[in-house]
Structure formats: structure tokens, C-alpha cells
């Protein structure tokens, strides 16, 4: 999460990936929890524009050439609390996982589809 306490200015922050203990030579997929949108691909540095009096909350996942869960709409931890045992079956082209949410509740699951993948 990156915060901007200014009441009027948009702030731009540049964060080197190695400061987040990530390999700056690899590509990561970033998802914005509050805006509910794909932030984009990130390599080397994370560059974020934060609106006034706001926070940008991103999940970063190593980019893979398979479909992958990158967030949920249930909790600010992007799925860390409510989804487990996510697996991609390449032979069947099926993405599986277990939802730990309460019965009879629903939430969105955001899945990144790599370019060229068939839905």
C-alpha cells in the first residue's frame, strides 16, 4: 500500500522492486484492489500515481505463462485469507482452488490470462 495524505496533489512514487524483495529483472503482474483493475506489468521499478487523500493497494505476482489468480474482492490481502491450494492443470486447461469464505457468500476472483491463452 502506498499512501498520499495531500489534500490537493497527486503524488508519484517510484519504488525499486528490490526494495520489495523482488527480482527487478523479472516481470510481475500488479492488480489494484481499490480501483478493481489490472494495474499492469512491472519490471525493475514500480511507478505509482496516488490520488490526493488516497491509497493505492497493489498485489504483485510473478508473471507466468498460465492463468493465475491475482486478487479477490473479498479482503485487502488479495486472496491470501480466502483462497488456497490454487493449481493449474495444463493437460485439462483447468484452474482449481479452494474458497475458505463463509457458506452462502460470494466474492469476485480476478484471474490473469496471459496473452495467447484461450478462455
Amino acid at each position: 500500500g502506498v499512501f498520499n495524505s495531500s489534500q490537493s496533489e497527486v503524488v508519484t512514487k517510484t519504488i525499486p522492486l528490490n526494495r520489495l524483495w523482488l527480482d527487478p529483472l523479472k516481470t510481475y503482474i500488479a492488480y489494484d484492489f481499490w480501483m478493481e483493475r489490472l494495474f499492469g506489468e512491472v519490471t525493475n521499478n514500480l511507478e505509482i500515481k496516488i490520488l490526493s487523500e488516497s491509497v493505492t493497494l497493489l498485489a504483485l505476482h510473478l508473471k507466468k505463462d498460465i492463468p493465475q489468480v491475482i486478487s479477490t474482492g473479498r479482503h485487502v490481502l488479495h486472496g491470501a485469507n480466502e483462497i488456497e491450494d490454487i493449481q493449474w492443470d495444463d493437460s485439462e486447461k483447468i484452474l482449481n482452488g479452494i474458497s475458505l469464505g463463509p457458506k452462502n457468500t460470494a466474492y469476485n476472483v480476478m484471474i490473469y490470462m496471459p496473452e495467447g491463452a484461450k478462455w
Side-chain angles (χ1 to χ4, degrees):
V2 184
F3 297 83
N4 179 3
S5 60
S6 170
Q7 293 182 350
S8 59
E9 295 181 31
V10 173
V11 173
T12 301
K13 299 271 185 173
T14 301
I15 302 169
L17 288 180
N18 61 1
R19 186 173 170 206
L20 303 172
W21 301 281
L22 299 173
D23 184 343
L25 300 177
K26 294 185 178 178
T27 301
Y28 297 86
I29 301 301
Y31 183 83
D32 187 324
F33 182 82
W34 295 120
M35 299 297 252
E36 298 180 315
R37 67 176 177 88
L38 183 66
F39 183 85
E41 294 184 8
V42 178
T43 307
N44 196 28
N45 293 311
L46 179 60
E47 295 197 24
I48 308 168
K49 289 185 181 180
I50 309 108
L51 302 176
S52 61
E53 297 183 314
S54 113
V55 61
T56 298
L57 183 60
L58 299 176
L60 294 170
H61 296 271
L62 183 63
K63 182 180 178 184
K64 301 176 184 176
D65 61 352
I66 60 172
Q68 60 193 106
V69 174
I70 57 172
S71 188
T72 72
R74 185 170 184 87
H75 193 276
V76 295
L77 291 180
H78 295 274
N81 288 341
E82 65 272 9
I83 295 187
E84 68 178 26
D85 198 25
I86 301 168
Q87 298 178 15
W88 171 250
D89 181 336
D90 198 49
S91 64
E92 297 292 325
K93 306 294 187 217
I94 295 174
L95 184 64
N96 288 306
I98 298 171
S99 172
L100 302 175
K103 288 184 178 183
N104 302 318
T105 62
Y107 56 91
N108 293 322
V109 176
M110 284 43 123
I111 299 171
Y112 173 76
M113 294 294 292
E115 191 171 321
K118 300 202 190 275
W119 180 249

